[in-house]
Amino acid sequence: MPKVIEILSRRRIRPWAKTVLALLAGVLIYSGFWFYGAMQVIGTAEQWIVERRADGYRIQYNDLRASGYPFAIRIKLNDVGFGDPNGAAPWAWQGQNLVISTRPWRLDRVHMQITGKQVFSYQKLNFRGSLNAADLDLVHDNGDPQSLTLTISGLDLAAGPGAGEKISLASASINLRRLTGQGETLALDVTSAGIDMPSVMDWPLGRRIADLRLAARLLGDLPRGAGAPLVEVLEIWRDGGGTVEIDRFVIDHGPLKLTTDGTLALDRNLQPVGAFTARISGFFETIDAFSRQGIIGVRQAIAAKLLLGVLARRPQGGGPSILNLAVTLQGRDLYAGPVKLLRMPMVNWR
């Protein structure tokens, strides 16, 4: 054996052999790097599942196995399910395909995609149907989320033949991101179209929302710390001057067409208070719909229509009358200009 080593040491290794050896070493190092990243992704997923189950949620899935070598780490789960069967309003979801993927060199960016058949249960209703795609992109820094983007297209669920109950969504995009400016904490942007909700939601303006858009920012620092009760977090945020700035809110729901912007905060009872400027059309039909469901009394509805009718202006080109006025929320009472519209329900944060 020593003679063999001596002979080999005397021979000169050819350049192509050095290249091959270097490539093999690189492949071995990268393979180890990929394997380590895959174990990190699987470990994070398993830890999240254990924590959610400890919180009382029900989760089902097939084995967590990694694929996608060499340029991706991909975990595919079939017949995955998630739900809260023991909550005050039990619900559950089950999907056909769920794929979680990332790049070995960018483990701080995770992509999830849901496709195929879907089942959603809410209380005693069971909806079945399909989904073109739901894509979730998560960017984090050492486990601390920095941004989350969810896009959904082609959701169509029905409660059964002839049931008349459905949930559908033509398209939606939701972006939640952490802000780095002084005094700014979070930003939220939502755009959605073609929303159909089941009658169990009991919408006074109908079950279809044609258009919904929101751009908002949370100002003021939220205290961090595991296990802090939500009430205490909100009190600290409120006492520190925390507000929610609604840069733009647009909704096209039944007869109501509303565009508004303003500021929300919390009062000493942790109830929302706010001041907005709004452009509204379809307000007569909206008041009638609220009156039919008893949200607004008959006399109150008549008075509101008379007063708001004086403030309304009809566009020069024709069309429904438009209101441009201030909308305020104070002491759980919602006002449109000088008119008290309705009493908002108490928000229980516990």
Side-chain angles (χ1 to χ4, degrees):
M1 186 66 181
K3 290 184 178 181
V4 173
I5 297 175
E6 181 180 355
I7 293 172
L8 290 175
S9 63
R10 291 177 180 176
R11 292 187 177 182
R12 186 176 180 181
I13 300 177
R14 296 181 180 181
W16 65 264
K18 292 182 179 180
T19 303
V20 171
L21 290 174
L23 288 174
L24 287 175
V27 168
L28 289 174
I29 293 172
Y30 179 81
S31 297
F33 179 68
W34 184 93
F35 183 78
Y36 172 78
M39 293 301 99
Q40 288 286 100
V41 173
I42 291 176
T44 300
E46 290 177 335
Q47 180 181 356
W48 184 88
I49 290 170
V50 169
E51 291 174 352
R52 298 293 78 74
R53 283 176 171 170
D55 292 336
Y57 292 98
R58 183 177 180 181
I59 302 175
Q60 67 178 56
Y61 64 97
N62 292 334
D63 292 338
L64 294 176
R65 296 181 181 179
S67 63
Y69 179 86
F71 299 117
I73 298 173
R74 188 177 300 111
I75 298 174
K76 183 176 181 180
L77 300 92
N78 297 322
D79 300 323
V80 61
F82 184 76
D84 183 13
N86 302 315
W91 62 272
W93 163 80
Q94 185 172 350
Q96 185 176 11
N97 301 309
L98 170 61
V99 178
I100 305 172
S101 60
T102 186
R103 300 291 184 183
W105 54 88
R106 289 308 305 265
L107 295 180
D108 60 332
R109 297 177 180 266
V110 178
H111 178 78
M112 302 182 190
Q113 185 178 68
I114 300 171
T115 57
K117 296 179 181 180
Q118 310 292 314
V119 179
F120 179 73
S121 301
Y122 177 74
Q123 295 184 353
K124 295 182 179 180
L125 292 175
N126 294 308
F127 296 88
R128 297 177 180 272
S130 61
L131 172 70
N132 286 348
D135 292 274
L136 176 67
D137 289 286
L138 176 65
V139 179
H140 62 90
D141 181 12
N142 293 323
D144 190 12
Q146 300 299 311
S147 70
L148 181 151
T149 302
L150 173 65
T151 57
I152 302 173
S153 64
L155 175 66
D156 191 4
L157 306 177
E165 295 284 2
K166 66 179 297 185
I167 299 176
S168 65
L169 177 61
S171 64
S173 175
I174 302 171
N175 176 255
L176 179 65
R177 61 192 182 278
R178 189 180 300 278
L179 299 175
T180 57
Q182 185 176 4
E184 297 184 327
T185 303
L186 296 172
L188 173 66
D189 292 287
V190 178
T191 59
S192 59
I195 306 171
D196 288 295
M197 300 299 293
S199 61
V200 69
M201 305 301 291
D202 198 24
W203 296 100
L205 300 180
R207 286 188 268 170
R208 182 169 182 81
I209 301 175
D211 186 25
L212 177 65
R213 285 171 278 166
L214 171 66
R217 290 170 293 129
L218 179 72
L219 306 185
D221 293 329
L222 288 171
R224 298 187 182 185
L230 178 59
V231 171
E232 292 183 10
V233 171
L234 292 175
E235 287 175 343
I236 294 172
W237 174 72
R238 175 203 60 194
D239 295 342
T243 62
V244 177
E245 298 298 320
I246 309 296
D247 298 318
R248 184 173 176 83
F249 176 69
V250 177
I251 187 168
D252 182 350
H253 185 191
L256 178 65
K257 310 292 188 294
L258 169 68
T259 301
T260 185
D261 61 81
T263 301
L264 274 173
L266 295 175
D267 63 17
R268 63 179 183 178
N269 297 316
L270 293 183
Q271 297 305 299
V273 293
F276 306 88
T277 57
R279 177 183 173 90
I280 310 170
S281 65
F283 50 88
F284 289 136
E285 297 85 349
T286 299
I287 291 172
D288 287 337
F290 284 4
S291 179
R292 284 193 296 270
Q293 289 208 0
I295 299 173
I296 298 177
V298 176
R299 292 183 179 180
Q300 188 179 4
I302 294 173
K305 290 169 69 174
L306 287 173
L307 289 172
L308 294 178
V310 174
L311 299 173
R313 295 292 181 268
R314 189 174 294 275
Q316 292 182 354
S321 298
I322 295 176
L323 274 171
N324 289 287
L325 77 172
V327 176
T328 56
L329 176 60
Q330 185 75 33
R332 293 173 50 206
D333 291 327
L334 182 66
Y335 291 85
V339 180
K340 179 179 175 180
L341 290 180
L342 53 90
R343 179 79 166 170
M344 303 295 289
M346 175 75 75
V347 179
N348 185 4
W349 301 103
R350 300 184 184 277

